[in-house]
Structure formats: C-alpha cells, structure tokens
Amino acid sequence: MRIERLSTAVPVMAGFAEDVRAGLSRAGQKELPSKYFYDEVGSGLFEVICTLPQYGLTRADERILRRHAVDIVSRLPSPVVVAELGSGSGRKTRFIIEALCRRQPVTYHPIEISPTALERCEREMSDIAAVSVVGFERPYLDGLLAAAARRREGECLLVLFLGSTIGNFDRPAGERFLSQVRGMLRPGDALLLGTDLVKSRPVMLAAYDDELGVTAAFNLNLLARINRELDGGFDLAQFAHLALFNETERRIEMHLRSRMAQTVRIGALGLEAPFAEDETIWTENSHKYTAEEVVEMAARNGFRCEAQWIDQEWPFAQNLLIV
Ligand SMILES: C[S@@+](CC[C@H](N)C(=O)[O-])C[C@H]1O[C@@H](n2cnc3c(N)ncnc32)[C@H](O)[C@@H]1O
C-alpha cells in the first residue's frame, strides 16, 4: 500500500465566509451550500447517519457493491485507475478496489473536501496490499482533473460517484456536472453512479428525520460551524431541523427553521442576519430518481448505460455508465 495526499494550493474552504455571507443576506429564501456540512463533526455525524435503521440508502448501495463488484469490474478494460468523487469513509468502495486488485495492482484517488473523510478513507484502504492511495483534498472537478492528468498511456479511468451524492445537485446542475465529468473522460472510461430511487413518502422522510435526532444534529452543525469558524452567534436551541418532500421536484429538502423572530450576528463577517419566525435556511437537496430517468440523463450527457443493478429491499440503483 502507498498513500500520498495532495492538497490544493488554495484552501478548499476559502469560500466558506463568502458563501455564508451571500446565503444569509439574500432577499427571499436563505440558503447555505450542503458541502459545508462536512467538517470533522459533520463527517463523523454522517457516518452515524449511514448506520441508522431509517437511512437504508447506504446499506442498499453497499449490498449492490458487495454482491456485484466482480461483475462490475469484469465489464471494464484493464488496467484501470480509480477516482472517487466525495469518497467519504470509502467503506463501500473497498468492494470495488478488492475486486480490481484480484486482477491488477490499483491506483485509487479519493477526492474529498473533508480532510477527516479523506483520512478515514485512507485508513479503510490500508489493509489492501495491492492498492496505492493518492488522495486529493480538493473539490470534485479539480480533483478529477488532477487524477485524470496522472494516468499513464493505456490506463482507463473508473470514476465512482456513490451514495446518490449526485442528488445534492438540482436536476439541471446534476446534468451539467455529468457533462463536465464526461468532458474529462476518454472512450472506454466509466462512471459508476449511485442513485437513490423514488419510494414511499414516509420512508423517504424518515430517512432524513430520524427519531434519535442524528440528522437534526448534522443539519444544525452547519450553524455550530459558523459559530466556531466565523464567530457566529447562532443559538442552536432557537433553530429546528426540518425535512420535507418537494413533490414537484421529487426531492427531500432539509431546512433549518427559526423558532422565533431573531437577529444573528456573524462576527467575522460583520453581518447581522435577520430571521422572521418560521423563516428557514435551505441547507440540502436530495433528489430521487427513477431507473429509466438515470439512463436517459446519462445518454443526454455522453454516457451509455452498460448495466444497472437495483436493490430490492431499498430501491436504489447502481449504474455503470460507459463513455
Ligand atoms: C453524502 S457524502 C457521501 C460519502 C460517500 N460517497 C458515501 O456514499 O457514503 C458526500 C461526501 O462528499 C464530500 N463532498 C461534498 N461536496 C464536495 C465537493 N464539492 N468536492 C469534494 N468533495 C465533496 C463530503 O465531504 C462527503 O464526504
């Protein structure tokens, strides 16, 4: 095993202050980008969410990868370099890496904005002898560009985008993202894309509003992070976690609802953010798909769907898309 870590010259989080300012001072719906959930506390809470009985998504993704990893890699040419967008802990990824390592030594590039997640992922791979881990602490596309530039002549690139993280983009942005990924790939390269499918409303809602309050803590940690890093004055007890299903857009939305009229000062920004009672900050989208929609979306952006595996317990599709 070989592990290298390549960080970006520009700090990944340089935009945090600007995005908080823009998101909290806009007229109309206040918004904070979900990528800021994943500091050390948030990455830890996300790992706990993945173990919750109500959050079937990760287990479905993992079942598919465990059962079908050999089939998945058998459909790829050799040799293969793997790059993963937002790897998180890499726990599910190991099934793919192990299957590939049975036929060749593998270079694996986890791409992460969370140093905590990247460290976990590197640890996860540390007992696989035939893998070289070269992680990129960078945003998705910067990392993918760097990973693609390092591959040698004749190596094909397998990009992993697991866990239905694509659902955090709204549909047009998700398509633009697919098209940008496609632009960095060559014929014969592949994208393994995890997509959570539409299911009954109570099941979807419970997955984002568990009774233990772990998802609520994950959501509220965004305000706690602003308090820690930007000298924010949020009183967390005065905000409530809210998950709702937006039928028109087929997505779960997470918000933070102000329990009363209040003004919050963010010291480092010299910003006073006013909130009306029940006003919300929109913090995350998780779009839900149909299996056919994913195939069409892939085709519109230059990919052919080679195969699709659907979990029977928790509707979730793993899609192998080939350039
Ligand atoms: C929903 S989690 C999914 C983690 C893992 N892929 C899984 O399936 O469990 C999203 C991960 O992507 C990372 N992430 C979010 N936005 C990112 C960005 N713009 N660039 C790179 N990583 C990002 C987060 O730090 C987090 O670990």
Side-chain angles (χ1 to χ4, degrees), residues 35 38 46 86-88 92 112-114 117 138-140 162-163 165:
K35 64 182 176 184
Y38 299 94
F46 180 72
S87 63
K92 294 171 289 176
E112 258 297 339
I113 44 167
S114 161
R138 298 190 191 178
Y140 300 132
L162 305 179
T165 306

Side-chain angles (χ1 to χ4, degrees), residues 264-289:
V264 178
R265 180 171 164 73
I266 319 263
L269 303 179
L271 176 73
E272 307 267 338
F275 291 88
E277 184 176 353
D278 291 333
E279 182 179 357
T280 71
I281 310 172
W282 186 3
T283 53
E284 193 187 55
N285 285 324
S286 297
H287 288 80
K288 305 300 167 188
Y289 303 89

Side-chain angles (χ1 to χ4, degrees), residues 81-86 109-112 136-151 157-161 177-185 189-191 303:
V81 173
V82 181
E84 178 163 18
L85 306 171
H109 299 294
I111 296 161
E112 258 297 339
F136 293 105
E137 196 182 312
R138 298 190 191 178
Y140 300 132
L141 294 176
D142 285 6
L144 185 56
L145 198 61
R150 287 168 70 101
R151 66 163 137 172
L157 189 59
L158 169 64
V159 180
L160 307 177
F161 200 21
F177 186 76
L178 279 185
S179 160
Q180 285 170 306
V181 169
R182 167 66 187 83
M184 294 183 192
L185 303 184
D189 290 344
L191 169 65
F303 293 96

